[in-house]
Each structure stands twice: as C-alpha cells, then as structure tokens.
Amino acid sequence: MKQADIKYTNQRIEILDFLKEFDGHPTVDDVYEGVRQKLTRISKATVYNNLKFLAQKGLIKEVNVKGVSRFESNLEPHHHTICIECGEITDYRSEELSEYAIKIAEKIDNFKVESSDTNFYGICKKCMEME
C-alpha cells in the first residue's frame, strides 16, 4: 500500500485481503459481511468509502452491473461476461481483444488510452439450463 501512497489502515488491509481471497466480484454487502468477521466494529459506510478509495487509487477495480457496484482485486487486463438474468460476472481473458481495442482507441483524438475493458452481456450456462 505504501507504493500507492495511501495511509496504512487495518480496514484497508482486511478489505484487500478479503478481495484477494474472494472468488468472484463481491458487492459492498459481501465485502462488509466478510470483513466484519475479523473487524466486528466496522461499519458498512467505512467499507463502502474504503472500496471507493481503493478503486480510485487503482488498487482494486469496480465493475458496475445493473446499478450495483462490484469489486475485484484482479488488475490484470481482462474483460467480463455478465449474465443478464442472474448478474453473475466472470472474468474473460483475451490478449487479442485487449490489443485490438487499444489499437482502435489510438484513433481517438485528444485522448491517451491506458487500458480497455469490454463487458459481454448474455445468459450464463446455469440460467440457460433453467429455461
């Protein structure tokens, strides 16, 4: 955390640790419930504010699905598949897609593109099997 030039706090450490261990893209409520196991006096507002702060500092990523913020610690270039039925988010890696998106974006005037994320919306296998 010192590399990102932010203050070292127990709350931030626990939030980052939770996100690294969580398999998926948790909501604020998920993070709150997980972190509260170790820091019983933490408030949901503290978790929310720290998640937003950590995302702003580039230590985690925020993904918004149907107006709900979800978070992840995976900072490697990747994309997402998002189920429009259940909201499940899955990481999708494609170096080819990332490179192509950056190449196309280089044509944008007066803007330097640093990275690109693409979200694919559809129906996941679990939801397809339920139909």
Side-chain angles (χ1 to χ4, degrees), residues 18-81:
F18 176 83
L19 288 173
K20 287 178 185 165
E21 297 298 320
F22 193 90
D23 183 29
H25 301 78
T27 63
V28 173
D29 288 339
D30 295 331
V31 177
Y32 169 68
E33 290 300 326
V35 171
R36 200 168 62 127
Q37 302 299 314
K38 290 187 178 179
L39 302 176
T40 56
R41 301 184 73 171
I42 196 167
S43 71
K44 192 183 293 188
T46 298
V47 170
Y48 174 82
N49 291 334
N50 276 289
L51 285 167
K52 291 291 192 176
F53 178 80
L54 293 167
Q56 179 187 22
K57 292 294 185 179
L59 293 172
I60 62 174
K61 287 175 71 175
E62 181 176 0
V63 180
N64 193 296
V65 178
K66 295 184 178 182
V68 177
S69 291
R70 294 175 173 265
F71 299 88
E72 66 178 332
S73 62
N74 181 3
L75 299 177
E76 296 294 317
H78 66 281
H79 310 281
H80 296 106
T81 58

